[in-house]
Amino acid sequence: MASLTRGLMVVARATALPARNLRIAASVSRRRNIVAASASIISRRGYATSSGEATTVDPTFTKALDLLEAGTRALEDGDLSKAAKLYRESVEAKETSEGWHNLGNCEYHLQNKVAAVEAWGKSIELQPSADAHTNLASAYVLDNPPKPALAIKHLTSALELSPEDPEIAFNLAAVLESTGQLEPSLTLYKKAQSGGIERAAQNVRNVSAKLIGERAKAQEKEKGDQQ
């Protein structure tokens, strides 16, 4: 997908992302943290602390939450490797959506993309979240070669979970545009624009112009066929 890769110019890559940009979230399912923005996609890497699940008397769950919080402190100190280690110990003690989500984020920034994708997938299995689906989509878009079909799948799921999120709408529009699906792309760019994504206005103009051009060509072809 040459047009897709040309349109991507990620500002904060995994190897260059400063520790101060690794933000902590209260809950994965509610976090809306944007860490990387590109010309054609907005990518989110929100980190989560413990969930609202009751600990009751389960010592393994308590241990998992303690390790999750320790991983968060390591992130605050800028130590990704230590955070990843603690998050892995957390999910080994007791699997949680937050633990897998944060582990996936760390693995991605450490350039362990396969491990990151696996971790985000497990997070979704436990508790589907728009952030995890968006992260997976970003990974597939930035893959070599890109995997737009998988990106569209996960962004569609993310939008179903957060239908009013303009950032997700923008991301999905960008991938749809790259695959030539202009009509749905335009609709989503307009949604993103109305939701406050200012740069979506330029995309609305660009896609509208493409559609006008395609319609003009179709009309010319139709006239030619009739003669």
Side-chain angles (χ1 to χ4, degrees):
M1 304 303 300
S3 61
L4 178 58
T5 53
R6 280 201 303 270
L8 291 170
M9 186 175 62
V10 176
V11 174
R13 290 191 180 276
T15 55
L17 189 64
R20 63 179 177 273
N21 284 340
L22 299 178
R23 302 176 185 176
I24 310 304
S27 171
V28 172
S29 62
R30 293 189 296 272
R31 182 59 179 166
R32 296 171 51 174
N33 174 37
I34 304 301
V35 173
S38 71
S40 294
I41 195 163
I42 300 171
S43 176
R44 297 185 297 185
R45 313 258 185 254
Y47 287 83
T49 57
S50 61
S51 71
E53 299 173 57
T55 59
T56 62
V57 293
D58 185 349
T60 61
F61 190 75
T62 301
K63 180 180 179 181
L65 294 186
D66 288 342
L67 289 164
L68 186 64
E69 297 296 342
T72 294
R73 290 193 293 272
L75 280 177
E76 292 173 336
D77 293 335
D79 194 336
L80 271 173
S81 295
K82 182 178 179 180
K85 178 177 180 294
L86 289 165
Y87 287 139
R88 184 164 292 284
E89 290 176 0
S90 176
V91 295
E92 287 174 351
K94 181 77 172 182
E95 289 187 298
T96 63
S97 178
E98 290 84 355
W100 280 116
H101 182 96
N102 286 2
L103 178 59
N105 293 350
C106 289
E107 295 288 15
Y108 191 86
H109 291 316
L110 291 168
Q111 294 190 303
N112 301 323
K113 186 177 290 186
V114 173
V117 168
E118 179 183 0
W120 285 327
K122 289 183 177 180
S123 174
I124 288 170
E125 287 178 5
L126 291 172
Q127 180 182 331
S129 76
D131 281 343
H133 278 296
T134 299
N135 286 352
L136 276 169
S138 299
Y140 288 128
V141 164
L142 294 173
D143 212 348
N144 186 22
K147 298 179 175 63
L150 287 172
I152 290 170
K153 173 187 174 182
H154 284 286
L155 285 170
T156 299
S157 294
L159 194 59
E160 289 173 352
L161 289 166
S162 298
E164 301 306 316
D165 193 314
E167 293 147 359
I168 298 173
F170 185 96
N171 289 352
L172 181 53
V175 184
L176 289 170
E177 180 188 358
S178 76
T179 60
Q181 301 179 62
L182 300 182
E183 290 283 1
S185 174
L186 179 60
T187 298
L188 288 168
Y189 277 136
K190 289 179 177 178
K191 181 181 181 70
Q193 183 183 6
S194 65
I197 306 297
E198 294 182 2
R199 64 195 179 112
Q202 182 62 51
N203 297 82
V204 168
R205 290 191 291 271
N206 292 343
V207 174
S208 296
K210 288 180 183 179
L211 283 167
I212 291 171
E214 286 192 355
R215 288 164 186 161
K217 288 180 181 179
Q219 288 175 356
E220 287 298 321
K221 184 178 183 301
E222 185 178 349
K223 288 179 181 179
D225 292 341
Q226 290 175 352
Q227 291 176 355

